[in-house]
Amino acid sequence: MRRFRRIFTVFLLVLLLTGSAAAMDTGFEVQPLSPEETARVSNKEIILQKEKPKTGSILCFDVREDGLIALGFQTPNDSEERIVCILDSNGAFQYAYRFACVGSFGLEWSGEHLLVYFVRSDLVMELDAAGNAVQWADILDTTENNRYWYTVRERERVVEDRVYRIKNDMGIFNLIVSSYSQLTVTNASAEEVLIYDVNQEQLIKTVVFTGAIALFVGCAVYIATIKPIMETSGKKGAKT
């Protein structure tokens, strides 16, 4: 009898965990976390921030049906922390989440909750408005899930008659940046409005970074090839 109760308890626990992950409203196919993963993620700190943080270029975004916007950023000067800012439909800051994350991540609204997809660890975290991690799940390694990553990373979201788009306006430098400096919304009358814009700041950083790389490469080429050739030519000239 006791053995039966133990088996029934384990079965019930597995059933509840499976039902919890299955109830997560996501386009990915997911499964419950293992006990080891559950213990690890339970220590993850999520900070709810009411003050508007300093942000830069956009890494990811999503728009809820009522127009609430979630923008994902890397924390300035901290490569292992991410910020998600929640804006209203007009772009006014509401609140933000801060959490540790190594690598890329994606965002998707699920009703009133926000799903945060961690690319490197293949995990999804469901957050409520108070910053509580309601549940976690594993993203399975399947062909369908690999395709859905492209959906999460798309640069456009359509809500009713409005098209939200993340983009850059930096000319040829658009080809070498992997993040986005602007968020726009276009209405049914084809009127485009800027909601978020750090394009000028991002352009300056990109130009300076590209110039520094070009200078470094130029110096390396000079030291490795041109300078030895010039020295060799000079020695031959001196002998003649």
Side-chain angles (χ1 to χ4, degrees):
M1 187 67 178
R2 289 181 179 178
R3 184 178 180 183
F4 173 77
R5 287 179 180 175
R6 289 198 191 102
I7 295 173
F8 178 76
T9 301
V10 171
F11 173 77
L12 184 61
L13 180 60
V14 171
L15 185 64
L16 289 173
L17 288 174
T18 305
S20 176
M24 183 179 284
D25 186 13
T26 171
F28 286 109
E29 185 182 356
V30 298
Q31 69 180 10
L33 298 185
S34 67
E36 294 78 15
E37 288 177 316
T38 300
R40 178 170 56 84
V41 300
S42 64
N43 296 322
K44 192 175 189 68
E45 183 180 21
I46 299 103
I47 300 173
L48 180 66
Q49 184 172 330
K50 295 295 185 179
E51 300 81 18
K52 185 177 181 179
K54 180 177 175 55
T55 55
S57 55
I58 302 166
L59 300 179
C60 53
F61 88 118
D62 197 26
V63 183
R64 206 165 70 182
E65 291 183 359
D66 60 358
L68 203 63
I69 302 165
L71 297 180
F73 308 92
Q74 177 178 306
T75 304
N77 304 320
D78 190 342
S79 62
E80 296 186 0
E81 185 181 63
R82 302 292 182 265
I83 298 175
V84 176
C85 289
I86 308 301
L87 315 179
D88 67 15
S89 58
N90 297 314
F93 175 79
Q94 303 300 298
Y95 56 91
Y97 304 112
R98 304 176 79 104
F99 50 85
C101 171
V102 178
S104 303
F105 71 110
L107 299 172
E108 189 173 32
W109 286 105
S110 175
E112 298 291 320
H113 293 176
L114 183 66
L115 302 179
V116 181
Y117 300 121
F118 298 92
V119 177
R120 184 171 296 183
S121 55
D122 284 326
L123 293 175
V124 52
M125 171 178 67
E126 183 175 349
L127 292 175
D128 64 15
N132 300 309
V134 177
Q135 61 175 323
W136 290 78
D138 263 322
I139 300 173
L140 299 177
D141 184 12
T142 66
T143 302
E144 291 75 16
N145 280 351
N146 290 335
R147 290 197 191 102
Y148 195 71
W149 275 117
Y150 290 101
T151 301
V152 173
R153 292 167 177 154
E154 284 181 357
R155 295 186 297 167
E156 291 185 359
R157 299 288 191 275
V158 179
V159 178
E160 296 181 348
D161 60 350
R162 302 182 303 277
V163 179
Y164 295 82
R165 183 180 294 109
I166 50 175
K167 64 177 188 175
N168 293 303
D169 187 18
M170 298 186 291
I172 193 172
F173 292 105
N174 288 349
L175 301 174
I176 62 174
V177 292
S178 58
S179 55
Y180 305 94
S181 58
Q182 294 180 330
L183 170 66
T184 66
V185 59
T186 304
N187 59 27
S189 302
E191 297 173 332
E192 186 179 66
V193 177
L194 269 173
I195 295 179
Y196 181 85
D197 184 19
V198 292
N199 192 77
Q200 190 63 28
E201 177 185 338
Q202 183 68 15
L203 176 60
I204 293 172
K205 289 181 179 179
T206 304
V207 170
V208 171
F209 177 77
T210 305
I213 293 295
L215 180 61
F216 174 80
V217 171
C219 291
V221 170
Y222 173 77
I223 294 172
T225 60
I226 299 176
K227 186 178 179 181
I229 292 173
M230 293 176 63
E231 290 177 346
T232 302
S233 299
K235 291 177 180 178
K236 288 182 178 178
K239 290 181 179 180
T240 57

